Amino acid sequence: MDLKVILISLLLGVFCYCNPQKEGNECISANAKHCGECIQAGAKCGWCEQENFLKQGEALSTRCDEVESLKDRGCNDSQIQNPTGKKWIITNKRVTNRKKVTGVETNKPKPEEITQIQPQKLRLNLRSGQPQSFDLKFKRAEDYPIDLYYLMDLSYSMKDDLENVKNLGTSLMLEMKKITSDFHIGFGSFVEKTVMPYISTTPSKLLNPCTGDQNCTSPFSYKNVLSLTSDGNMFNSLVGKQQISGNLDSPEGGFDAIMQVAVCGKEIGWRNVTRLLVFSTDAGFHFAGDGKLGGIVLPNDGKCHLEDNVYTMSHYYDYPSIAHLVQKLSDNNIQTIFAVTEEFQPVYQELKNLIPKSAVGTLSANSSNVINLIIDAYNSLSSEVILDNSKLPEGVEIEYKSQCKNGVVNDKDDGRKCSNISIGDEVNFNITVTSKGCPNEGKSETIKIKPLGFTEEVEIILNFICDCQCQNNDVVKKSEKCSLNGTFECGACRCFEGRVGRNCECSSNDMATDDMDQTCRKDNSTDICSNNGECVCGTCECKKRPNPEERYSGQFCECDNFNCDRSENKLCGGNGRCVCRECICDPMWSGRACDCSLDNSTCLATNKQICNGRGRCECGVCKCTDPKFQGPTCETCPTCPGVCAEHKLCVQCRAFGTGEKMKTCKEECSYFNLITVKDRNKLPQPNDYPYPVMHCKERDANDCWFYYTYAVNDTEREVHVVDKLDCPSGPDIIPIVAGVVAGIVLIGLALLLIWKLLMIIHDRREFAKFEKEKMNAKWDTQENPIYKSPINQFQNPNYGRKAAVL
């Protein structure tokens, strides 16, 4: 018997070890050696700087724990270092409420005076794991200035398109005036790199690359024909002087031109307003790597190389890559509109997907629809706001949540944008910034957030909380508390290199000496620190458990907070604390495992008596002394008269859905567990259970019987019921009808047989009477005088003569 108990105890010990009471927290797992390390472990972590906080055997790292846990362990609230993040809004100009004015506007604001995003600058103090949020407002200003640069392919296939573009300036100016009163337009053209095999380098072809009598201009890579201007007539004049050129291959060098338009802001004349680039072509494009065909291997440097408004380094640098182009367009807030022929729509649609804030329009064969195309593309681009941020420092994350028009809320990847925005609409974004650890060694960082295609941006200065306030205040270097071998900060010694011990009193070279180990043995035993720790400088430092919530403590690490009695697999029943392997119970609880409640309210019966006067209350549970009574308060008597009638209606409604309580069944009849069985033989019998079972037989309104048992199993009431009603059987119509029909048929047959028999008897009697009368009849034997015999006799006269002759 003793061996069984030992084995069960061992099994329970293994089970308890494999199922820790509580998962560890990140604060304890960090094994922090000072306050700064602690607060970087997580947002919930705090450091107790109270000098007498640590108990014997507890390591320095146990000063770092969740704040609530530190309070529970006795650390004064004012002694807990738990810095929190904060935000300051530095610049917060309101968004501009401006209406478009027809005619001359005297107090027209400059583009830089118009505000569409709020706030403009703020500072965030970030603590590891603790997010900081702020709201960002965006409002599309009415009558906002627009710069539009028209970049056109002047290869020979665009000859008819050039004729229509020559009058584009004034026409487009009139249309754009409906959107903004401040509109600038510019023009540029491109063909191809001026090297083989893209163009013919023969002298005659360099002068006129076209065939026949066509008069074409010399090939070139990119020309800035007209910088941005508000003079539409000048646009018409300069564009009207342009001539078509030519090249050899089908793809064009448009990417070289786009790069120069993006980076040559001063030469192009870009202002800090909405910037639109219209790229018009009827062909595909060369990109990075294609330059090798002409012997050009140097990657595009992304810098401006315009001399006299002509790109001079096309023969020196390769075409830019798509990613490089995307970066430069985004950096310079340029929104691109690809006006291409239907043949190349699929190609540029794919390119659009790679370039944020870009659009694609179908250009007619002669570019006659270019104005409508530009207006539609601009409306499409301006109806969507997409936020983008600069590169984030390592360990910093940012999340967006948008509140768009008509109450639409987006988060995650869609939280950066809002669609279907009209001029004057206001949308809001909630932006959350979180850091992990202490990025960039705690140095300040700056990130910027801006809506793509707009020049305005929000500047965010990030400061990282990497140290506690106590590490800057009240710090004593070479403190006497640290044996002059360390710095006393935040309630503990931070030892100099080569020194160990809680007070830095030992050298790391002298740690493992026999004299020091002797002071770490309890009662002169052979176990150092009870085999639960290490002897450091003559003092036990208890080792850590796999579950950080479990700790060894005590002068010799002889105590722990996890080897106490358990109840329902909970340490100290969940109603106390384990201190040095003994349960310290909470108020109103007792017992070795704190599983015995001292609260008698659970034992009160409806008559306000403890256990109905028929039992005693032990640990909050009634122990009934009268064997007939059961239940949580000894009020249930399953074998008392009237039990069957008391539960009849509830059993009827729950088992069969009938009876007087059918409508209120769920509310009034859920106090027992219902179990159905197939027949009466399956009902519980009195000897089947250790508690009394009452057998019941009741009749419903249809004279059907139903059978069930009622019993109380500890605190639960159980009802077993036969799932079929026992109803009196009615007459079987078919046999009755068949019997009646059969009877009628048989009776009819019997009557026919009787009639036939009677007729036979009657006929025989009549025949016998006839025979008798026949025998008695006396007929006259004389011949009737009028009788004539039916026989005539004749004799042949020659009969005898013949005979004689013979």
Side-chain angles (χ1 to χ4, degrees):
M1 186 66 182
D2 293 339
L3 181 60
K4 288 183 178 180
V5 172
I6 292 171
L7 288 173
I8 291 171
S9 300
L10 288 172
L11 287 172
L12 287 174
V14 170
F15 178 79
C16 294
Y17 178 79
C18 296
N19 295 275
Q21 178 184 2
K22 183 180 179 182
E23 292 185 3
N25 59 59
E26 56 188 351
C27 311
I28 298 175
S29 302
N31 196 24
K33 300 301 182 184
H34 57 84
C35 188
E37 286 185 3
C38 177
I39 63 172
Q40 293 176 38
K44 297 180 180 179
C45 300
W47 176 273
C48 182
E49 59 175 328
Q50 191 171 304
E51 290 189 38
N52 59 352
F53 173 70
L54 294 182
K55 298 176 182 177
Q56 283 188 325
E58 289 185 335
L60 178 64
S61 60
T62 56
R63 287 183 176 272
C64 182
D65 202 344
E66 293 183 357
V67 173
E68 292 302 320
S69 179
L70 291 175
K71 292 178 182 179
D72 293 340
R73 290 167 56 195
C75 187
N76 194 295
D77 194 12
S78 62
Q79 298 290 305
I80 297 177
Q81 289 287 318
N82 181 32
T84 57
K86 194 176 180 181
K87 68 179 178 183
W88 293 271
I89 297 178
I90 301 172
T91 307
N92 193 29
K93 290 173 58 179
R94 290 182 176 274
V95 292
T96 302
N97 292 314
R98 179 171 178 260
K99 299 292 184 180
K100 187 175 181 295
V101 179
T102 57
V104 180
E105 187 177 356
T106 56
N107 296 323
K108 184 177 180 180
K110 296 178 181 179
E112 58 269 18
E113 295 175 349
I114 299 175
T115 302
Q116 296 184 111
I117 193 167
Q118 179 187 358
Q120 295 78 40
K121 186 175 182 179
L122 64 155
R123 178 186 291 113
L124 298 180
N125 275 13
L126 297 177
R127 178 183 166 182
S128 177
Q130 191 177 83
Q132 289 294 319
S133 299
F134 65 93
D135 293 325
L136 184 147
K137 182 188 298 182
F138 178 86
K139 183 177 182 179
R140 275 192 62 194
E142 191 170 349
D143 197 25
Y144 193 71
I146 298 175
D147 284 353
L148 186 146
Y149 192 84
Y150 197 92
L151 183 59
M152 185 175 181
D153 176 8
L154 285 190
S155 58
Y156 187 77
S157 58
M158 293 287 286
K159 180 180 179 181
D160 54 346
D161 300 79
L162 179 59
E163 294 301 320
N164 285 312
V165 174
K166 287 179 179 179
N167 297 318
L168 177 66
T170 52
S171 302
L172 183 59
M173 188 75 70
L174 289 173
E175 289 296 324
M176 294 302 290
K177 287 290 184 183
K178 298 176 182 179
I179 299 174
T180 177
S181 60
D182 189 356
F183 176 68
H184 285 192
I185 188 170
F187 184 83
S189 58
F190 66 91
V191 180
E192 186 56 275
K193 289 184 180 295
T194 55
V195 294
M196 281 288 289
Y198 311 109
I199 66 168
S200 175
T201 55
T202 60
S204 59
K205 290 296 184 181
L206 287 175
L207 292 175
N208 184 2
C210 300
T211 59
D213 57 351
Q214 298 291 333
N215 186 20
C216 299
T217 190
S218 299
F220 58 91
S221 177
Y222 161 67
K223 287 181 182 179
N224 175 31
V225 178
L226 175 65
S227 299
L228 291 162
T229 177
S230 60
D231 190 347
N233 293 323
M234 184 182 294
F235 180 94
N236 292 345
S237 175
L238 289 177
V239 175
K241 297 176 182 178
Q242 300 305 302
Q243 289 182 304
I244 290 296
S245 185
N247 62 322
L248 295 179
D249 62 342
S250 176
E252 315 294 2
F255 275 16
D256 272 343
I258 294 176
M259 177 61 76
Q260 293 303 301
V261 172
V263 299
C264 298
K266 183 178 179 180
E267 290 78 2
I268 301 299
W270 291 118
R271 300 176 295 165
N272 285 330
V273 297
T274 299
R275 300 174 176 179
L276 300 178
L277 170 61
V278 180
F279 181 84
S280 175
T281 185
D282 64 349
F285 49 83
H286 286 294
F287 53 88
D290 289 353
K292 292 180 181 179
L293 295 172
I296 303 171
V297 295
L298 283 178
N300 194 288
D301 64 350
K303 295 180 180 180
C304 182
H305 297 287
L306 290 185
E307 293 183 11
D308 295 329
N309 287 320
V310 177
Y311 180 40
T312 59
M313 301 297 285
S314 66
H315 64 286
Y316 191 76
Y317 289 115
D318 193 6
Y319 302 99
S321 66
I322 295 176
H324 197 184
L325 213 56
V326 169
Q327 177 193 346
K328 292 301 180 181
L329 289 171
S330 178
D331 290 346
N332 292 281
N333 307 304
I334 297 173
Q335 304 177 63
T336 310
I337 300 172
F338 295 105
V340 297
T341 54
E342 187 173 0
E343 179 185 357
F344 288 94
Q345 273 280 324
V347 175
Y348 283 90
Q349 282 288 351
E350 292 296 326
L351 182 61
K352 166 191 171 293
N353 296 334
L354 300 174
I355 302 179
K357 294 293 285 185
S358 62
V360 178
T362 303
L363 195 66
S364 61
N366 59 1
S367 297
S368 58
N369 68 330
V370 67
I371 293 179
N372 292 333
L373 185 153
I374 292 171
I375 298 297
D376 292 342
Y378 169 73
N379 290 331
S380 174
L381 289 172
S382 60
S383 67
E384 185 175 54
V385 176
I386 303 175
L387 294 185
D388 190 25
N389 53 265
S390 59
K391 185 179 179 181
L392 299 174
E394 186 177 356
V396 175
E397 297 178 352
I398 189 167
E399 293 181 1
Y400 296 87
K401 185 176 182 180
S402 59
Q403 296 175 349
C404 305
K405 190 177 179 180
N406 299 325
V408 176
V409 177
N410 299 319
D411 57 5
K412 297 182 180 178
D413 292 340
D414 292 332
R416 293 174 173 265
K417 62 183 179 181
C418 281
S419 303
N420 301 320
I421 299 173
S422 304
I423 293 175
D425 287 343
E426 185 178 293
V427 295
N428 293 280
F429 296 87
N430 182 264
I431 301 173
T432 302
V433 183
T434 310
S435 69
K436 185 66 177 176
C438 190
N440 199 20
E441 298 180 352
K443 297 178 182 178
S444 293
E445 294 276 0
T446 299
I447 61 173
K448 294 181 179 180
I449 297 175
K450 67 176 182 179
L452 290 176
F454 295 86
T455 57
E456 297 175 67
E457 62 188 13
V458 180
E459 182 181 347
I460 306 172
I461 302 171
L462 303 180
N463 296 326
F464 302 102
I465 303 175
C466 298
D467 295 315
C468 302
Q469 188 176 359
C470 62
Q471 290 179 273
N472 301 319
N473 303 332
D474 302 326
V475 175
V476 182
K477 295 183 178 180
K478 291 189 176 182
S479 172
E480 293 183 358
K481 295 179 180 179
C482 304
S483 308
L484 302 177
N485 294 316
T487 300
F488 188 80
E489 63 178 31
C490 301
C493 286
R494 193 169 179 178
C495 299
F496 297 149
E497 188 176 354
R499 304 299 297 183
V500 294
R502 184 171 291 188
N503 299 316
C504 308
E505 65 271 26
C506 295
S507 170
S508 56
N509 299 323
D510 300 332
M511 285 178 58
T513 63
D514 292 337
D515 291 339
M516 289 183 181
D517 288 348
Q518 185 62 36
T519 60
C520 295
R521 293 187 175 95
K522 183 180 180 181
D523 300 330
N524 293 323
S525 69
T526 57
D527 295 333
I528 296 177
C529 300
S530 306
N531 285 332
N532 295 324
E534 296 180 355
C535 188
V536 178
C537 198
T539 304
C540 285
E541 285 194 3
C542 304
K543 64 183 179 183
K544 293 186 176 182
R545 297 273 296 169
N547 179 2
E549 291 293 327
E550 298 177 352
R551 299 186 185 91
Y552 291 108
S553 61
Q555 181 180 356
F556 304 101
C557 302
E558 73 278 13
C559 296
D560 62 61
N561 66 345
F562 55 88
N563 271 324
C564 291
D565 291 328
R566 294 174 179 260
S567 177
E568 297 181 356
N569 199 31
K570 293 181 180 179
L571 194 65
C572 298
N575 303 311
R577 295 177 295 111
C578 182
V579 178
C580 202
R581 303 187 179 183
E582 289 187 4
C583 286
I584 306 299
C585 299
D586 296 338
M588 300 301 295
W589 291 93
S590 65
R592 290 180 56 84
C594 299
D595 54 353
C596 182
S597 175
L598 301 179
D599 184 9
N600 290 337
S601 60
T602 55
C603 296
L604 285 177
T606 54
N607 57 10
K608 303 301 179 182
Q609 289 185 328
I610 298 293
C611 300
N612 196 30
R614 293 183 171 88
R616 62 183 181 275
C617 187
E618 296 180 1
C619 297
V621 179
C622 282
K623 302 293 183 181
C624 302
T625 54
D626 190 335
K628 292 192 300 181
F629 287 86
Q630 295 177 332
T633 54
C634 303
E635 293 181 273
T636 305
C637 181
T639 57
C640 293
V643 170
C644 293
E646 178 184 354
H647 304 291
K648 167 188 172 182
L649 295 178
C650 281
V651 173
Q652 185 181 356
C653 79
R654 287 191 59 184
F656 308 105
T658 60
E660 298 176 8
K661 292 189 176 182
M662 183 171 58
K663 294 183 179 179
T664 59
C665 190
K666 189 175 292 185
E667 293 79 13
E668 299 183 15
C669 300
S670 58
Y671 58 87
F672 59 82
N673 294 329
L674 183 70
I675 304 167
T676 58
V677 297
K678 293 296 183 182
D679 51 57
R680 294 175 63 182
N681 295 329
K682 300 293 179 64
L683 290 174
Q685 301 302 316
N687 296 329
D688 292 346
Y689 298 99
Y691 45 83
V693 177
M694 186 71 176
H695 281 255
C696 300
K697 176 183 178 182
E698 296 292 337
R699 179 185 292 175
D700 64 11
N702 297 322
D703 286 337
C704 295
W705 295 94
F706 57 94
Y707 304 90
Y708 67 93
T709 61
Y710 179 83
V712 179
N713 178 12
D714 294 331
T715 59
E716 293 185 354
R717 304 180 184 188
E718 289 184 355
V719 172
H720 290 72
V721 61
V722 179
D723 59 2
K724 292 183 180 179
L725 293 169
D726 185 7
C727 299
S729 58
D732 198 344
I733 301 299
I734 295 176
I736 293 175
V737 173
V740 171
V741 172
I744 293 173
V745 172
L746 291 174
I747 291 172
L749 291 174
L751 291 173
L752 286 174
L753 289 173
I754 292 171
W755 176 79
K756 184 66 177 176
L757 181 63
L758 291 174
M759 290 301 295
I760 292 172
I761 294 172
H762 177 266
D763 289 343
R764 286 183 177 180
R765 285 180 179 178
E766 289 294 324
F767 182 75
K769 184 178 178 181
F770 170 76
E771 289 292 328
K772 184 177 180 181
E773 289 180 353
K774 181 180 177 182
M775 294 294 296
N776 295 331
K778 295 180 178 181
W779 299 95
D780 192 356
T781 58
Q782 293 182 355
E783 187 176 349
N784 191 347
I786 62 174
Y787 174 78
K788 186 177 181 178
S789 175
I791 302 172
N792 293 322
Q793 294 183 356
F794 296 93
Q795 186 172 359
N796 190 350
N798 295 321
Y799 177 76
R801 191 179 296 173
K802 283 183 177 180
V805 172
L806 291 173

